[in-house]
Amino acid sequence: KQEVTQIPAALSVPEGENLVLNCSFTDSAIYNLQWFRQDPGKGLTSLLLIQSSQREQTSGRLNASLDKSSGRSTLYIAASQPGDSATYLCAVRGSGNTPLVFGKGTRLSVIA
Amino acid sequence: GAVVSQHPSRVICKSGTSVKIECRSLDFQATTMFWYRQFPKKSLMLMATSNEGSKATYEQGVEKDKFLINHASLTLSTLTVTSAHPEDSSFYICSAREGALQQFFGPGTRLTVL
């Protein structure tokens, strides 16, 4: 059964810093991996989706990488802003008609 | 991206009553729908998977007689929490997918059982 782990569980950084969030998964036979953002009491916002054949995806200040063989992904946030404060969730989809399996998230606080 | 809606966004009910949550795919045919539950400061836990026209497949530990899921059409799935109790209070999020394409999420429903 797929298990997704995110480290660290919480992170506090000063505004302007670059930071990396980590995600690991136990079963490398994945279809894709997705990073989401969730604000308190709100739903999910999809940030980046990486197909299993891809190594990375970029959107603005965000860059996500995928190393399927080692079961790892990272989300890099450049020049962090207070508005980036949220919980970041990593989710992995296996092959076939399987659902996304989520990690527990990293709660990010960017201090002005 | 595709749009998934949920209704209601927030519901408060008395213990022992039943609550129905609707999930709709607005611009695509959702051959598969998923229901997740999220407790405060916890991650999303899959409750069940449903394919249109078929019975839902429930995850271990989820009572199928308590959480009734109906996926009668390609655009609508409903989750009914029967005889709700305070411990059922949670954030319920549905998700829909057309075939092998990307999974899209609804905005969630906050259920509070008094």
Side-chain angles (χ1 to χ4, degrees):
Chain A
K1 184 178 178 182
Q2 180 72 268
E3 292 184 4
V4 181
T5 303
Q6 289 187 247
I7 295 173
L11 180 64
S12 183
V13 300
E15 181 179 6
E17 246 188 45
N18 303 325
L19 58 101
V20 175
L21 307 181
N22 297 290
C23 172
S24 62
F25 45 96
T26 54
D27 185 351
S28 61
I30 65 169
Y31 185 78
N32 60 40
L33 181 146
Q34 207 163 349
W35 282 93
F36 294 87
R37 167 186 174 139
Q38 186 176 32
D39 292 289
K42 303 294 184 181
L44 304 177
T45 299
S46 179
L47 298 174
L48 291 164
L49 183 152
I50 311 177
Q51 299 294 349
S52 62
S53 58
Q54 297 176 321
R55 301 280 294 185
E56 67 176 347
Q57 283 286 333
T58 298
S59 176
R61 294 183 293 109
L62 306 180
N63 175 276
S65 69
L66 173 64
D67 184 342
K68 198 172 71 164
S69 60
S70 68
R72 296 178 189 277
S73 175
T74 61
L75 178 66
Y76 175 82
I77 302 178
S80 59
Q81 303 171 357
D84 295 332
S85 298
T87 295
Y88 290 81
L89 295 163
C90 170
V92 171
R93 177 181 166 186
S95 57
N97 195 25
T98 54
L100 285 169
V101 177
F102 284 82
K104 293 184 177 180
T106 294
R107 193 163 58 254
L108 173 66
S109 296
V110 181
I111 311 301
Chain B
V3 179
V4 176
S5 70
Q6 267 184 256
H7 178 79
S9 59
R10 187 180 294 267
V11 57
I12 301 173
C13 69
K14 292 182 179 180
S15 185
T17 60
S18 294
V19 175
K20 180 185 283 188
I21 303 170
E22 290 188 351
C23 176
R24 294 181 184 272
S25 58
L26 299 186
D27 50 4
F28 67 101
Q29 294 187 323
T31 49
T32 306
M33 283 189 169
F34 308 94
W35 287 94
Y36 292 82
R37 179 169 54 184
Q38 185 179 35
F39 291 107
K41 297 188 178 180
K42 301 292 184 182
S43 191
L44 278 75
M45 298 300 296
L46 181 67
M47 298 175 67
T49 300
S50 72
N51 293 299
E52 185 264 338
S54 302
K55 288 185 177 180
T57 301
Y58 290 80
E59 294 298 300
Q60 193 172 7
V62 179
E63 299 175 57
K64 62 180 180 181
D65 294 330
K66 181 169 185 62
F67 299 99
L68 302 179
I69 292 173
N70 183 283
H71 189 175
S73 79
L74 285 171
T75 59
L76 174 64
S77 175
T78 59
L79 167 66
T80 301
V81 183
T82 62
S83 186
H85 288 96
E87 58 265 31
D88 298 324
S89 298
S90 187
F91 193 51
Y92 292 86
I93 303 178
C94 76
S95 180
R97 189 164 76 203
E98 180 177 13
L101 301 178
Q102 186 175 341
Q103 195 172 325
F104 293 96
F105 288 81
T109 296
R110 172 80 54 197
L111 171 63
T112 302
V113 185
L114 303 177

